[in-house]
Amino acid sequence: MSAASDIMTVIDPESNIVLETTKSSNSPKGKKTLWQAFNETFLEYSGNTALHGVPYFSQQRPLRENIFWFCVLLLSIFYCATSVLQTFGKWKERPVIVSFSETAVDISNIPFPAVTICSETKRPLLKGPSFGELYTKLRDMGAFSENSNITSTELKDFLALAQVCELEYLNSNGDDGSVDIDVTDMGKLQIDYIARLSKMAPKLSTINGGHFWGSNELNISQLYAKTFTEEGVCYTFNGLNGTDIYRENTVQYQVMGLQSFIEVSEEINRTLSWSLEKGYAIDSPLNTYPARVTSCGNSVGLTAVLLDLKENNDYTCRGPTQGYKLILHSPNTVPSVAKRYVRIDMAKEVSIAVKPKYMQTSGDIAVFAPEKRQCYFEHERPLRFFKTYNSDNCELECLTNYTLNKCNCVRFSMPRTTDMPVCNLDAMDCYTSAEEDMLLKKFNGHRGNGDGDDVVDQCNCLPSCTSLDYDMQISKGRLDVKTTFMNMLKLDKWSDDLPDIELSLLTIYFKNNQFIATKRSKLFSFYDLLSNCGGIGGLFIGFSLLSIAEVLFHFTMRLWANWKTKKE
């Protein structure tokens, strides 16, 4: 018993645990003070808790041992709290993880890739003078006028071809290839670049010799649709209609509605039953739009014979490299030839084995902000020109807005409304440098310091939460058509009466029947986070959910009872 404080402590002689602490009987009667009640409750709690190190404080031990265990407990609590906060911070800042899907995806659940083919021949020479000849006429006269030796039609053809031809091939004198022409009346000419390029482009039948979709040989009008890219007129297989991609107020919706170019047949269905986020409808038949296949191998893929008639090649437009460019893309994406393409050489058999890259997203991560999960769901990011969101369409729209802001016009192939002017030859340097300028400003992180910076800041083209792309494995072999025909016709040499023609055989097919997709999902669910934090607490101080109940019980109910208990 302590005389100074009149406190009597009862200690178990075997365990040194405090059993009871009471005031001596010579103290005046009355309720315990809050401090006395707290002290008694703490000793009771320390003697009964399962937390590591705490029971030592309820025992009569030397001061140095109490200090030691106090320091050990304090360090354990510190490192436990630090680890829990780091885990919680990781969950808060980066709540999404990308991993492989648990099950393989069958290729029948995704569409066959959209195939866009662009010929390097922008206008066959049989349709008129070459691009270089038109340029020579303009250069010699210096300016366009009513008395010029070049007609208004030829001038419009030249200006249209200048949008898609390589100007450095015009100069044969080793100059820099710049076009120095004063076309004074150019502003008076109303040029519909899409219509004029479409009229000048080679017909599909002259560049495609035969096509098979699976085992069915189809008319090319049943397979390919016209589309317009920065390369001019191209032809797309298995792409969505322009009316399913573009909004109603765009020129592309009105002019490039691809459904008007596709002939419906039993093999080709044009009723949309697919979306990137939801996939094909459950009741969709095998013959769907966009088309799909049920197996891998070239027997169920796309086979095309591409022709190149040499007398049609305009080397002043595209230079010495002739043939075709090919782009594989998702059906709901507008093809961008400048970003990715595969060159199809003539006199080659080209085989392309396709491996899908499919990103899925768990619906429960929609609770996080797009910046946290680093993707947009389709409904979260409406675009001005496109009905569906994906990063490629968003970047094209962003470039269009930036070009309009910088040049007061847009390139003919860019999505636009009818009130947006199209850049002519005098604005070529501006719109060709617009993309580089925009990317440079994004890289440097400029915001609001110059023309177009606000437009760049508004881009924010995160990937779509569900995305589909295609990797290619390409193999090529020599295709000597002339020698084959000569042997078949028993000719010693190629006759001048026969057309000087080359062809390539293109085959596109899926490599495997199934593939492993990737998936965005929560890094931690609530129970995962609880388990991680609980594991850390158990490792450092033996903490559990019952420990919380124990603390609440002793320092609420027991503390209140001890405080209100009268002295005996």
Side-chain angles (χ1 to χ4, degrees):
M1 177 180 295
S2 172
S5 60
D6 294 330
I7 296 177
M8 182 176 68
T9 304
V10 181
I11 303 174
D12 187 347
E14 296 182 358
S15 62
N16 288 334
I17 296 177
V18 177
L19 299 178
E20 184 178 4
T21 303
T22 62
K23 282 283 187 177
S24 63
S25 60
N26 57 2
S27 299
K29 298 286 183 178
K31 293 183 179 180
K32 298 178 183 177
T33 65
L34 180 61
W35 171 250
Q36 290 173 335
F38 179 83
N39 185 52
E40 183 176 336
T41 303
F42 176 75
L43 291 175
E44 181 183 345
Y45 169 75
S46 301
N48 292 281
T49 185
L51 292 179
H52 302 329
V54 177
Y56 291 104
F57 295 108
S58 66
Q59 303 173 7
Q60 292 294 319
R61 292 183 176 275
L63 179 62
R64 61 178 179 273
E65 292 186 13
N66 288 335
I67 294 175
F68 169 78
W69 282 111
F70 177 78
C71 294
V72 170
L73 182 62
L74 193 64
L75 286 174
S76 296
I77 293 174
F78 172 76
Y79 285 111
C80 177
T82 301
S83 300
V84 169
L85 289 175
Q86 287 179 350
T87 302
F88 183 77
K90 183 178 180 181
W91 171 77
K92 186 177 180 181
E93 294 299 324
R94 296 181 295 274
V96 175
I97 186 173
V98 177
S99 59
F100 290 109
S101 180
E102 297 86 356
T103 57
V105 180
D106 194 273
I107 58 172
S108 62
N109 293 328
I110 62 170
F112 194 80
V115 182
T116 298
I117 300 174
C118 301
S119 174
E120 294 286 13
T121 301
K122 306 307 176 185
R123 182 175 73 164
L125 295 181
L126 296 178
K127 290 189 175 184
S130 68
F131 181 58
E133 291 172 343
L134 294 176
Y135 167 70
T136 302
K137 288 184 178 182
L138 283 171
R139 183 189 59 188
D140 292 343
M141 75 177 185
F144 173 74
S145 65
E146 294 180 356
N147 298 323
S148 303
N149 62 348
I150 185 171
T151 65
S152 175
T153 300
E154 290 178 330
L155 177 60
K156 291 180 180 180
D157 289 347
F158 173 81
L159 295 176
L161 288 171
Q163 299 278 343
V164 296
C165 290
E166 302 290 344
L167 301 183
E168 58 264 25
Y169 294 117
L170 290 176
N171 238 321
S172 59
N173 299 324
D175 297 336
D176 60 358
S178 60
V179 180
D180 185 15
I181 301 174
D182 179 20
V183 188
T184 56
D185 286 351
M186 185 176 60
K188 299 178 182 179
L189 299 174
Q190 300 297 325
I191 304 176
D192 186 345
Y193 289 103
I194 291 179
R196 188 156 291 273
L197 287 172
S198 180
K199 182 180 179 180
M200 291 189 295
K203 293 182 179 180
L204 183 60
S205 58
T206 63
I207 62 176
N208 293 270
H211 293 267
F212 292 85
W213 172 234
S215 59
N216 300 310
E217 182 178 8
L218 301 179
N219 189 294
I220 52 177
S221 61
Q222 297 174 342
L223 286 177
Y224 291 91
K226 273 186 180 180
T227 186
F228 294 87
T229 69
E230 65 272 26
E231 293 277 333
V233 177
C234 299
Y235 295 93
T236 299
F237 165 76
N238 208 37
L240 294 188
N241 295 338
T243 51
D244 293 324
I245 295 178
Y246 296 98
R247 296 198 179 275
E248 289 78 0
N249 62 338
T250 60
V251 172
Q252 281 75 9
Y253 181 91
Q254 302 167 14
V255 178
M256 297 167 60
L258 303 187
Q259 81 286 351
S260 61
F261 296 93
I262 291 288
E263 292 183 5
V264 179
S265 66
E266 294 181 359
E267 292 80 9
I268 300 297
N269 180 10
R270 301 301 288 180
T271 302
L272 185 60
S273 60
W274 171 85
S275 69
L276 189 56
E277 285 191 357
K278 298 179 181 179
Y280 287 103
I282 298 177
D283 57 349
S284 296
L286 176 61
N287 180 21
T288 57
Y289 160 64
R292 56 179 172 174
V293 295
T294 58
S295 179
C296 62
N298 57 6
S299 61
V300 290
L302 176 69
T303 302
V305 179
L306 303 179
L307 307 177
D308 180 34
L309 190 61
K310 289 198 171 185
E311 62 184 10
N312 280 335
N313 293 341
D314 185 359
Y315 294 95
T316 62
C317 176
R318 302 296 295 181
T321 304
Q322 299 295 315
Y324 295 87
K325 290 180 179 178
L326 178 139
I327 309 100
L328 293 189
H329 54 95
S330 178
N332 67 335
T333 301
V334 176
S336 178
V337 184
K339 287 187 176 181
R340 60 181 75 91
Y341 69 88
V342 174
R343 187 171 292 280
I344 305 299
D345 301 326
M346 301 313 299
K348 297 288 185 180
E349 181 179 358
V350 182
S351 177
I352 300 178
V354 178
K355 185 176 181 179
K357 292 171 58 180
Y358 190 33
M359 173 69 78
Q360 299 172 309
T361 296
S362 176
D364 57 2
I365 72 169
V367 297
F368 302 115
E371 292 73 19
K372 296 290 185 182
R373 56 178 133 91
Q374 286 295 294
C375 71
Y376 282 119
F377 286 101
E378 190 171 302
H379 66 277
E380 293 180 321
R381 186 72 160 83
L383 298 176
R384 178 185 178 187
F385 303 117
F386 300 97
K387 290 183 176 180
T388 58
Y389 177 86
N390 58 62
S391 58
D392 288 338
N393 291 351
C394 177
E395 289 171 1
L396 180 56
E397 180 169 303
C398 181
L399 177 60
T400 301
N401 294 332
Y402 184 84
T403 304
L404 179 64
N405 185 274
K406 178 183 179 182
C407 309
N408 295 319
C409 62
V410 296
R411 197 168 184 179
F412 81 97
S413 58
M414 292 178 174
R416 67 185 191 277
T417 55
T418 54
D419 60 338
M420 296 169 62
V422 179
C423 295
N424 288 315
L425 185 62
D426 55 343
M428 181 175 294
D429 291 337
C430 181
Y431 72 68
T432 53
S433 63
E435 183 173 11
E436 183 178 354
D437 292 346
M438 184 185 72
L439 295 176
L440 183 61
K441 288 186 178 182
K442 289 172 64 176
F443 176 79
N444 292 331
H446 291 173
R447 295 296 183 265
N449 297 325
D451 293 339
D453 288 354
D454 292 338
V455 177
V456 174
D457 193 30
Q458 294 172 4
C459 289
N460 194 26
C461 294
L462 297 175
S464 53
C465 288
T466 303
S467 60
L468 178 62
D469 206 348
Y470 303 90
D471 282 339
M472 294 179 282
Q473 181 178 327
I474 305 172
S475 58
K476 297 182 179 181
R478 185 168 177 265
L479 187 66
D480 194 345
V481 178
K482 288 185 178 181
T483 302
T484 303
F485 284 159
M486 287 170 58
N487 292 334
M488 292 175 59
L489 300 175
K490 298 181 180 181
L491 300 175
D492 296 330
K493 64 178 183 177
W494 191 258
S495 174
D496 294 336
D497 297 332
L498 298 175
D500 190 4
I501 190 172
E502 289 184 334
L503 61 85
S504 292
L505 181 62
L506 173 66
T507 306
I508 303 173
Y509 56 91
F510 279 120
K511 184 178 181 180
N512 300 304
N513 285 327
Q514 294 180 327
F515 63 95
I516 301 297
T518 52
K519 186 176 183 178
R520 287 187 184 91
S521 56
K522 282 185 177 180
L523 177 62
F524 298 125
S525 66
F526 172 76
Y527 295 105
D528 292 333
L529 182 64
L530 191 65
S531 300
N532 283 351
C533 294
I536 293 172
L539 175 66
F540 282 98
I541 55 176
F543 185 82
S544 68
L545 290 179
L546 290 179
S547 300
I548 298 177
E550 196 175 50
V551 171
L552 292 175
F553 169 74
H554 279 89
F555 291 97
T556 55
M557 299 176 63
R558 290 296 300 159
L559 178 62
W560 178 263
N562 289 336
W563 187 25
K564 294 296 182 181
T565 301
K566 292 184 177 182
K567 294 182 179 180
E568 296 185 4

